[in-house]
mmCIF file of all heavy atoms in Angstrom:
data_model
loop_
_atom_site.group_PDB
_atom_site.id
_atom_site.type_symbol
_atom_site.label_atom_id
_atom_site.label_comp_id
_atom_site.label_asym_id
_atom_site.label_seq_id
_atom_site.Cartn_x
_atom_site.Cartn_y
_atom_site.Cartn_z
ATOM 1 N N VAL A 1 61.250 -94.715 103.165
ATOM 2 C CA VAL A 1 60.846 -94.889 104.554
ATOM 3 C C VAL A 1 60.000 -93.684 104.919
ATOM 4 O O VAL A 1 60.449 -92.538 104.757
ATOM 5 C CB VAL A 1 62.066 -94.995 105.491
ATOM 6 C CG1 VAL A 1 61.607 -95.205 106.929
ATOM 7 C CG2 VAL A 1 62.984 -96.128 105.045
ATOM 8 N N ILE A 2 58.798 -93.922 105.401
ATOM 9 C CA ILE A 2 57.887 -92.798 105.610
ATOM 10 C C ILE A 2 57.111 -92.982 106.911
ATOM 11 O O ILE A 2 56.813 -94.105 107.323
ATOM 12 C CB ILE A 2 56.907 -92.674 104.409
ATOM 13 C CG1 ILE A 2 56.136 -91.358 104.459
ATOM 14 C CG2 ILE A 2 55.977 -93.868 104.331
ATOM 15 C CD1 ILE A 2 55.405 -91.047 103.172
ATOM 16 N N GLY A 3 56.823 -91.875 107.569
ATOM 17 C CA GLY A 3 56.020 -91.916 108.776
ATOM 18 C C GLY A 3 54.610 -92.399 108.485
ATOM 19 O O GLY A 3 54.050 -92.147 107.416
ATOM 20 N N TYR A 4 54.024 -93.079 109.439
ATOM 21 C CA TYR A 4 52.725 -93.731 109.248
ATOM 22 C C TYR A 4 51.616 -92.766 108.852
ATOM 23 O O TYR A 4 50.645 -93.149 108.181
ATOM 24 C CB TYR A 4 52.327 -94.481 110.518
ATOM 25 C CG TYR A 4 51.925 -93.571 111.657
ATOM 26 C CD1 TYR A 4 50.597 -93.385 112.000
ATOM 27 C CD2 TYR A 4 52.881 -92.860 112.388
ATOM 28 C CE1 TYR A 4 50.224 -92.543 113.026
ATOM 29 C CE2 TYR A 4 52.526 -92.015 113.417
ATOM 30 C CZ TYR A 4 51.204 -91.861 113.734
ATOM 31 O OH TYR A 4 50.841 -91.013 114.753
ATOM 32 N N ASP A 5 51.746 -91.487 109.254
ATOM 33 C CA ASP A 5 50.662 -90.524 109.020
ATOM 34 C C ASP A 5 51.052 -89.423 108.047
ATOM 35 O O ASP A 5 50.370 -88.399 107.961
ATOM 36 C CB ASP A 5 50.217 -89.907 110.342
ATOM 37 C CG ASP A 5 51.345 -89.161 111.053
ATOM 38 O OD1 ASP A 5 52.511 -89.304 110.634
ATOM 39 O OD2 ASP A 5 51.056 -88.444 112.027
ATOM 40 N N HIS A 6 52.160 -89.614 107.301
ATOM 41 C CA HIS A 6 52.607 -88.548 106.411
ATOM 42 C C HIS A 6 51.771 -88.519 105.129
ATOM 43 O O HIS A 6 51.442 -89.562 104.558
ATOM 44 C CB HIS A 6 54.074 -88.734 106.041
ATOM 45 C CG HIS A 6 54.600 -87.635 105.155
ATOM 46 N ND1 HIS A 6 54.821 -86.363 105.619
ATOM 47 C CD2 HIS A 6 54.902 -87.608 103.834
ATOM 48 C CE1 HIS A 6 55.267 -85.598 104.633
ATOM 49 N NE2 HIS A 6 55.312 -86.339 103.530
ATOM 50 N N HIS A 7 51.443 -87.294 104.672
ATOM 51 C CA HIS A 7 50.712 -87.103 103.421
ATOM 52 C C HIS A 7 51.399 -86.034 102.586
ATOM 53 O O HIS A 7 52.064 -85.147 103.123
ATOM 54 C CB HIS A 7 49.261 -86.716 103.693
ATOM 55 C CG HIS A 7 48.451 -87.826 104.296
ATOM 56 N ND1 HIS A 7 48.407 -88.051 105.654
ATOM 57 C CD2 HIS A 7 47.693 -88.798 103.728
ATOM 58 C CE1 HIS A 7 47.647 -89.104 105.904
ATOM 59 N NE2 HIS A 7 47.202 -89.576 104.764
ATOM 60 N N PHE A 8 51.213 -86.116 101.283
ATOM 61 C CA PHE A 8 51.919 -85.210 100.378
ATOM 62 C C PHE A 8 51.105 -85.035 99.109
ATOM 63 O O PHE A 8 50.080 -85.705 98.900
ATOM 64 C CB PHE A 8 53.310 -85.780 100.046
ATOM 65 C CG PHE A 8 53.265 -87.161 99.455
ATOM 66 C CD1 PHE A 8 53.131 -87.352 98.084
ATOM 67 C CD2 PHE A 8 53.331 -88.284 100.271
ATOM 68 C CE1 PHE A 8 53.058 -88.626 97.542
ATOM 69 C CE2 PHE A 8 53.272 -89.566 99.747
ATOM 70 C CZ PHE A 8 53.133 -89.734 98.369
ATOM 71 N N GLY A 9 51.571 -84.121 98.247
ATOM 72 C CA GLY A 9 50.895 -83.867 96.985
ATOM 73 C C GLY A 9 49.734 -82.896 97.137
ATOM 74 O O GLY A 9 49.401 -82.443 98.234
ATOM 75 N N LYS A 10 49.113 -82.570 96.019
ATOM 76 C CA LYS A 10 48.001 -81.626 96.000
ATOM 77 C C LYS A 10 46.920 -82.056 96.981
ATOM 78 O O LYS A 10 46.469 -83.208 96.970
ATOM 79 C CB LYS A 10 47.420 -81.537 94.580
ATOM 80 C CG LYS A 10 46.299 -80.527 94.431
ATOM 81 C CD LYS A 10 45.798 -80.494 93.003
ATOM 82 C CE LYS A 10 44.654 -79.493 92.857
ATOM 83 N NZ LYS A 10 44.151 -79.464 91.446
ATOM 84 N N ASN A 11 46.534 -81.124 97.848
ATOM 85 C CA ASN A 11 45.520 -81.373 98.881
ATOM 86 C C ASN A 11 45.911 -82.509 99.822
ATOM 87 O O ASN A 11 45.058 -83.093 100.478
ATOM 88 C CB ASN A 11 44.153 -81.666 98.240
ATOM 89 C CG ASN A 11 43.633 -80.500 97.432
ATOM 90 O OD1 ASN A 11 43.820 -79.340 97.796
ATOM 91 N ND2 ASN A 11 42.994 -80.792 96.310
ATOM 92 N N ARG A 12 47.196 -82.833 99.860
ATOM 93 C CA ARG A 12 47.732 -83.855 100.764
ATOM 94 C C ARG A 12 47.000 -85.188 100.613
ATOM 95 O O ARG A 12 46.680 -85.882 101.584
ATOM 96 C CB ARG A 12 47.649 -83.371 102.224
ATOM 97 C CG ARG A 12 48.572 -82.202 102.510
ATOM 98 C CD ARG A 12 48.377 -81.637 103.910
ATOM 99 N NE ARG A 12 48.509 -82.655 104.945
ATOM 100 C CZ ARG A 12 49.656 -83.099 105.441
ATOM 101 N NH1 ARG A 12 50.795 -82.616 104.959
ATOM 102 N NH2 ARG A 12 49.671 -84.003 106.395
ATOM 103 N N THR A 13 46.760 -85.579 99.366
ATOM 104 C CA THR A 13 46.018 -86.814 99.112
ATOM 105 C C THR A 13 46.922 -88.035 99.051
ATOM 106 O O THR A 13 46.444 -89.170 99.140
ATOM 107 C CB THR A 13 45.253 -86.707 97.781
ATOM 108 O OG1 THR A 13 46.179 -86.402 96.724
ATOM 109 C CG2 THR A 13 44.194 -85.603 97.852
ATOM 110 N N GLY A 14 48.224 -87.846 98.878
ATOM 111 C CA GLY A 14 49.134 -88.980 98.784
ATOM 112 C C GLY A 14 49.569 -89.478 100.145
ATOM 113 O O GLY A 14 49.651 -88.714 101.106
ATOM 114 N N GLY A 15 49.845 -90.769 100.226
ATOM 115 C CA GLY A 15 50.308 -91.358 101.476
ATOM 116 C C GLY A 15 50.895 -92.730 101.229
ATOM 117 O O GLY A 15 51.288 -93.073 100.107
ATOM 118 N N ILE A 16 50.940 -93.537 102.280
ATOM 119 C CA ILE A 16 51.557 -94.860 102.176
ATOM 120 C C ILE A 16 50.855 -95.712 101.120
ATOM 121 O O ILE A 16 51.519 -96.398 100.314
ATOM 122 C CB ILE A 16 51.502 -95.563 103.544
ATOM 123 C CG1 ILE A 16 52.349 -94.802 104.557
ATOM 124 C CG2 ILE A 16 51.994 -97.005 103.436
ATOM 125 C CD1 ILE A 16 52.170 -95.264 105.988
ATOM 126 N N GLU A 17 49.525 -95.680 101.088
ATOM 127 C CA GLU A 17 48.789 -96.530 100.161
ATOM 128 C C GLU A 17 49.153 -96.231 98.711
ATOM 129 O O GLU A 17 49.353 -97.147 97.905
ATOM 130 C CB GLU A 17 47.280 -96.361 100.368
ATOM 131 C CG GLU A 17 46.763 -96.826 101.718
ATOM 132 C CD GLU A 17 47.013 -95.828 102.825
ATOM 133 O OE1 GLU A 17 47.481 -94.700 102.534
ATOM 134 O OE2 GLU A 17 46.747 -96.168 103.996
ATOM 135 N N GLU A 18 49.258 -94.935 98.386
ATOM 136 C CA GLU A 18 49.580 -94.587 97.001
ATOM 137 C C GLU A 18 51.033 -94.920 96.669
ATOM 138 O O GLU A 18 51.336 -95.352 95.561
ATOM 139 C CB GLU A 18 49.296 -93.108 96.748
ATOM 140 C CG GLU A 18 49.261 -92.759 95.269
ATOM 141 C CD GLU A 18 48.632 -91.409 95.006
ATOM 142 O OE1 GLU A 18 48.312 -90.692 95.974
ATOM 143 O OE2 GLU A 18 48.471 -91.070 93.828
ATOM 144 N N LEU A 19 51.930 -94.729 97.630
ATOM 145 C CA LEU A 19 53.320 -95.129 97.398
ATOM 146 C C LEU A 19 53.406 -96.623 97.107
ATOM 147 O O LEU A 19 54.130 -97.049 96.190
ATOM 148 C CB LEU A 19 54.171 -94.787 98.624
ATOM 149 C CG LEU A 19 54.540 -93.322 98.822
ATOM 150 C CD1 LEU A 19 55.143 -93.116 100.211
ATOM 151 C CD2 LEU A 19 55.520 -92.848 97.745
ATOM 152 N N GLU A 20 52.671 -97.421 97.864
ATOM 153 C CA GLU A 20 52.685 -98.864 97.641
ATOM 154 C C GLU A 20 52.020 -99.234 96.320
ATOM 155 O O GLU A 20 52.444 -100.186 95.651
ATOM 156 C CB GLU A 20 51.985 -99.566 98.806
ATOM 157 C CG GLU A 20 52.757 -99.464 100.122
ATOM 158 C CD GLU A 20 52.014 -100.057 101.296
ATOM 159 O OE1 GLU A 20 50.760 -100.154 101.205
ATOM 160 O OE2 GLU A 20 52.664 -100.416 102.297
ATOM 161 N N GLN A 21 51.025 -98.475 95.921
ATOM 162 C CA GLN A 21 50.321 -98.751 94.673
ATOM 163 C C GLN A 21 51.258 -98.663 93.463
ATOM 164 O O GLN A 21 51.196 -99.498 92.554
ATOM 165 C CB GLN A 21 49.163 -97.758 94.510
ATOM 166 C CG GLN A 21 48.432 -97.862 93.182
ATOM 167 C CD GLN A 21 47.396 -96.762 93.013
ATOM 168 O OE1 GLN A 21 46.997 -96.115 93.986
ATOM 169 N NE2 GLN A 21 46.968 -96.540 91.785
ATOM 170 N N TYR A 22 52.126 -97.651 93.452
ATOM 171 C CA TYR A 22 52.993 -97.444 92.294
ATOM 172 C C TYR A 22 54.350 -98.136 92.416
ATOM 173 O O TYR A 22 55.141 -98.130 91.467
ATOM 174 C CB TYR A 22 53.212 -95.944 92.077
ATOM 175 C CG TYR A 22 51.977 -95.215 91.595
ATOM 176 C CD1 TYR A 22 51.227 -94.422 92.453
ATOM 177 C CD2 TYR A 22 51.556 -95.343 90.270
ATOM 178 C CE1 TYR A 22 50.096 -93.762 92.027
ATOM 179 C CE2 TYR A 22 50.417 -94.695 89.824
ATOM 180 C CZ TYR A 22 49.690 -93.900 90.712
ATOM 181 O OH TYR A 22 48.563 -93.268 90.276
ATOM 182 N N ALA A 23 54.635 -98.733 93.567
ATOM 183 C CA ALA A 23 55.952 -99.328 93.788
ATOM 184 C C ALA A 23 56.327 -100.404 92.778
ATOM 185 O O ALA A 23 57.453 -100.386 92.237
ATOM 186 C CB ALA A 23 56.023 -99.882 95.210
ATOM 187 N N PRO A 24 55.455 -101.366 92.467
ATOM 188 C CA PRO A 24 55.865 -102.408 91.513
ATOM 189 C C PRO A 24 56.222 -101.856 90.131
ATOM 190 O O PRO A 24 57.179 -102.322 89.498
ATOM 191 C CB PRO A 24 54.631 -103.324 91.441
ATOM 192 C CG PRO A 24 53.909 -103.090 92.737
ATOM 193 C CD PRO A 24 54.118 -101.630 93.026
ATOM 194 N N ALA A 25 55.481 -100.858 89.683
ATOM 195 C CA ALA A 25 55.716 -100.320 88.338
ATOM 196 C C ALA A 25 57.009 -99.523 88.255
ATOM 197 O O ALA A 25 57.652 -99.488 87.193
ATOM 198 C CB ALA A 25 54.532 -99.440 87.924
ATOM 199 N N TYR A 26 57.416 -98.931 89.358
ATOM 200 C CA TYR A 26 58.582 -98.044 89.301
ATOM 201 C C TYR A 26 59.807 -98.593 90.035
ATOM 202 O O TYR A 26 60.832 -97.923 90.109
ATOM 203 C CB TYR A 26 58.211 -96.669 89.855
ATOM 204 C CG TYR A 26 57.311 -95.908 88.903
ATOM 205 C CD1 TYR A 26 55.924 -95.941 89.071
ATOM 206 C CD2 TYR A 26 57.830 -95.206 87.820
ATOM 207 C CE1 TYR A 26 55.091 -95.273 88.192
ATOM 208 C CE2 TYR A 26 56.998 -94.536 86.938
ATOM 209 C CZ TYR A 26 55.633 -94.577 87.124
ATOM 210 O OH TYR A 26 54.804 -93.919 86.240
ATOM 211 N N GLY A 27 59.717 -99.806 90.550
ATOM 212 C CA GLY A 27 60.894 -100.490 91.052
ATOM 213 C C GLY A 27 61.451 -99.992 92.369
ATOM 214 O O GLY A 27 62.646 -100.128 92.625
ATOM 215 N N TYR A 28 60.600 -99.441 93.221
ATOM 216 C CA TYR A 28 61.059 -99.056 94.562
ATOM 217 C C TYR A 28 60.256 -99.838 95.594
ATOM 218 O O TYR A 28 59.216 -100.450 95.273
ATOM 219 C CB TYR A 28 60.929 -97.551 94.791
ATOM 220 C CG TYR A 28 59.513 -97.014 94.741
ATOM 221 C CD1 TYR A 28 58.671 -97.100 95.850
ATOM 222 C CD2 TYR A 28 59.006 -96.407 93.587
ATOM 223 C CE1 TYR A 28 57.379 -96.612 95.829
ATOM 224 C CE2 TYR A 28 57.712 -95.919 93.550
ATOM 225 C CZ TYR A 28 56.904 -96.022 94.671
ATOM 226 O OH TYR A 28 55.615 -95.553 94.632
ATOM 227 N N THR A 29 60.711 -99.834 96.807
ATOM 228 C CA THR A 29 59.999 -100.480 97.914
ATOM 229 C C THR A 29 59.651 -99.437 98.964
ATOM 230 O O THR A 29 60.243 -98.353 99.006
ATOM 231 C CB THR A 29 60.840 -101.608 98.535
ATOM 232 O OG1 THR A 29 62.148 -101.102 98.847
ATOM 233 C CG2 THR A 29 60.970 -102.777 97.575
ATOM 234 N N VAL A 30 58.684 -99.782 99.825
ATOM 235 C CA VAL A 30 58.165 -98.826 100.802
ATOM 236 C C VAL A 30 58.187 -99.450 102.196
ATOM 237 O O VAL A 30 57.871 -100.635 102.358
ATOM 238 C CB VAL A 30 56.722 -98.403 100.461
ATOM 239 C CG1 VAL A 30 56.216 -97.353 101.461
ATOM 240 C CG2 VAL A 30 56.636 -97.871 99.041
ATOM 241 N N GLU A 31 58.555 -98.636 103.166
ATOM 242 C CA GLU A 31 58.564 -99.067 104.559
ATOM 243 C C GLU A 31 57.928 -97.978 105.408
ATOM 244 O O GLU A 31 58.351 -96.819 105.362
ATOM 245 C CB GLU A 31 60.002 -99.317 105.017
ATOM 246 C CG GLU A 31 60.155 -99.699 106.463
ATOM 247 C CD GLU A 31 61.614 -99.895 106.835
ATOM 248 O OE1 GLU A 31 62.492 -99.849 105.944
ATOM 249 O OE2 GLU A 31 61.878 -100.088 108.055
ATOM 250 N N ALA A 32 56.913 -98.337 106.162
ATOM 251 C CA ALA A 32 56.240 -97.379 107.034
ATOM 252 C C ALA A 32 56.774 -97.516 108.456
ATOM 253 O O ALA A 32 56.992 -98.627 108.943
ATOM 254 C CB ALA A 32 54.736 -97.607 107.029
ATOM 255 N N VAL A 33 56.989 -96.383 109.111
ATOM 256 C CA VAL A 33 57.431 -96.361 110.503
ATOM 257 C C VAL A 33 56.270 -95.872 111.360
ATOM 258 O O VAL A 33 55.702 -94.811 111.100
ATOM 259 C CB VAL A 33 58.666 -95.450 110.686
ATOM 260 C CG1 VAL A 33 59.055 -95.358 112.158
ATOM 261 C CG2 VAL A 33 59.834 -95.972 109.862
ATOM 262 N N GLY A 34 55.913 -96.651 112.346
ATOM 263 C CA GLY A 34 54.776 -96.317 113.195
ATOM 264 C C GLY A 34 55.088 -95.198 114.157
ATOM 265 O O GLY A 34 56.216 -94.687 114.226
ATOM 266 N N PRO A 35 54.086 -94.801 114.944
ATOM 267 C CA PRO A 35 54.287 -93.704 115.902
ATOM 268 C C PRO A 35 55.324 -94.082 116.954
ATOM 269 O O PRO A 35 55.395 -95.223 117.396
ATOM 270 C CB PRO A 35 52.903 -93.514 116.521
ATOM 271 C CG PRO A 35 52.216 -94.833 116.325
ATOM 272 C CD PRO A 35 52.732 -95.370 115.024
ATOM 273 N N GLN A 36 56.121 -93.106 117.337
ATOM 274 C CA GLN A 36 57.120 -93.289 118.377
ATOM 275 C C GLN A 36 56.576 -92.682 119.662
ATOM 276 O O GLN A 36 56.205 -91.505 119.686
ATOM 277 C CB GLN A 36 58.436 -92.622 117.983
ATOM 278 C CG GLN A 36 59.022 -93.146 116.671
ATOM 279 C CD GLN A 36 59.312 -94.626 116.712
ATOM 280 O OE1 GLN A 36 60.060 -95.091 117.567
ATOM 281 N NE2 GLN A 36 58.725 -95.370 115.784
ATOM 282 N N ALA A 37 56.507 -93.480 120.703
ATOM 283 C CA ALA A 37 55.914 -93.035 121.960
ATOM 284 C C ALA A 37 56.976 -92.878 123.034
ATOM 285 O O ALA A 37 57.983 -93.581 123.047
ATOM 286 C CB ALA A 37 54.850 -94.021 122.423
ATOM 287 N N LEU A 38 56.727 -91.931 123.908
ATOM 288 C CA LEU A 38 57.576 -91.715 125.068
ATOM 289 C C LEU A 38 56.662 -91.621 126.282
ATOM 290 O O LEU A 38 55.780 -90.756 126.332
ATOM 291 C CB LEU A 38 58.389 -90.423 124.906
ATOM 292 C CG LEU A 38 59.469 -90.156 125.948
ATOM 293 C CD1 LEU A 38 60.562 -91.214 125.861
ATOM 294 C CD2 LEU A 38 60.077 -88.775 125.750
#
């Protein structure tokens, strides 16, 4: 479960798209949580 705008890895290049890209090969699922407003 990851925030919609979170990035990680060298130069912060990783994000939701890359997590979803590798999900089928490694057997995990991904869920994005959008911005929380007040």
Side-chain angles (χ1 to χ4, degrees):
V1 181
I2 191 167
Y4 72 103
D5 60 349
H6 182 71
H7 291 87
F8 57 88
K10 183 179 179 180
N11 298 324
R12 293 174 55 81
T13 56
I16 295 170
E17 295 79 7
E18 195 165 5
L19 284 169
E20 292 175 337
Q21 175 186 343
Y22 290 104
Y26 288 96
Y28 63 82
T29 51
V30 183
E31 177 181 354
V33 176
Q36 302 300 303
L38 188 65

